[in-house]
Amino acid sequence: MSAERLKLVRDRVRGFPDFPAPGVLFRDITPLLKDPEAFRAAIDLLEAHVKVKHPQVDFIAGLDSRGFLFGPVLAQRLGVGFVLIRKKGKLPGRTESVSYTLEYGQAELEVQSDAVEPGQKVILIDDLLATGGTMRAACDLMSKLKAEILDCMVLIELTFLKGADLLKPFPLYSVLQYD
């Protein structure tokens, strides 16, 4: 990893204490998205990881909604397709869905039934991994379609919440880690 690129990305993530609730330090990627050089550096770091670890990829699958910011750009760079993993009720046609638990209740993710073929190699991407529930649900959804999950990738991992443990046996790659 390029230390210079990593520093540029880290410098463009800002913290907002007590948002959205007291005691929470919100990691805001808005400055990163506003800075083309920093955004390019983030994509460069993600791309470098994929090229080293996974030379054969069929699709990048982005989680609703911030995975849609990084996923299509990464997919385009890699010359592969992009798959939408959406909140329930947002996709036309036949879909597969998976329910998962949130702090405040239940939620569902869905994907179009023909998004991937059995055995196709998929990398999942989102902006942040906290407790891991949404990313795990996305893994379960891709597994339901019999895709081969190569990696779960995020820009930011909140390591103190131990979300990576919930993803096992699927690997996790994060550009930035916060304790």
Side-chain angles (χ1 to χ4, degrees):
M1 236 191 259
S2 161
E4 188 176 290
R5 286 184 184 146
L6 188 59
K7 180 179 180 340
L8 178 59
V9 171
R10 185 177 301 279
D11 288 349
R12 295 304 183 277
V13 175
R14 63 182 170 186
F16 279 99
D18 299 319
F19 181 83
V24 174
L25 178 59
F26 185 84
R27 300 294 178 173
D28 180 26
I29 62 169
T30 304
L32 175 87
L33 297 172
K34 288 171 50 179
D35 181 337
E37 189 178 334
F39 184 72
R40 185 179 309 107
I43 299 297
D44 289 347
L45 292 166
L46 293 165
E47 179 186 17
H49 170 77
V50 173
K51 284 185 171 180
V52 167
K53 295 286 186 181
H54 310 291
Q56 175 76 34
V57 178
D58 295 307
F59 292 104
I60 302 295
L63 280 64
D64 197 344
S65 68
R66 292 189 194 111
F68 301 169
L69 300 172
F70 299 96
V73 178
L74 180 61
Q76 191 276 329
R77 287 245 196 121
L78 296 169
V80 302
F82 179 74
V83 172
L84 297 168
I85 298 178
R86 302 283 327 253
K87 294 174 183 128
K88 183 118 176 111
K90 303 287 186 182
L91 290 171
R94 283 191 46 234
T95 60
E96 296 291 331
S97 65
V98 170
S99 296
Y100 63 104
T101 304
L102 298 169
E103 297 168 19
Y104 51 85
Q106 289 284 118
E108 282 186 78
L109 288 179
E110 67 181 3
V111 66
Q112 289 176 322
S113 299
D114 62 354
V116 299
E117 297 294 322
Q120 286 188 307
K121 299 174 186 327
V122 176
I123 293 175
L124 298 161
I125 190 164
D126 204 359
D127 68 323
L128 182 133
L129 184 79
T131 61
T134 305
M135 183 65 82
R136 181 59 202 218
C139 290
D140 293 345
L141 195 53
M142 287 290 109
S143 295
K144 203 173 183 180
L145 294 179
K146 299 182 177 20
E148 181 183 341
I149 299 167
L150 300 178
D151 219 337
C152 300
M153 296 176 51
V154 294
L155 183 69
I156 298 168
E157 178 187 3
L158 304 178
T159 56
F160 62 94
L161 294 175
K162 302 189 184 313
D165 293 345
L166 188 61
L167 300 181
K168 290 178 183 172
F170 304 110
L172 172 69
Y173 171 74
S174 55
V175 174
L176 302 174
Q177 301 81 34
Y178 293 97
D179 295 323

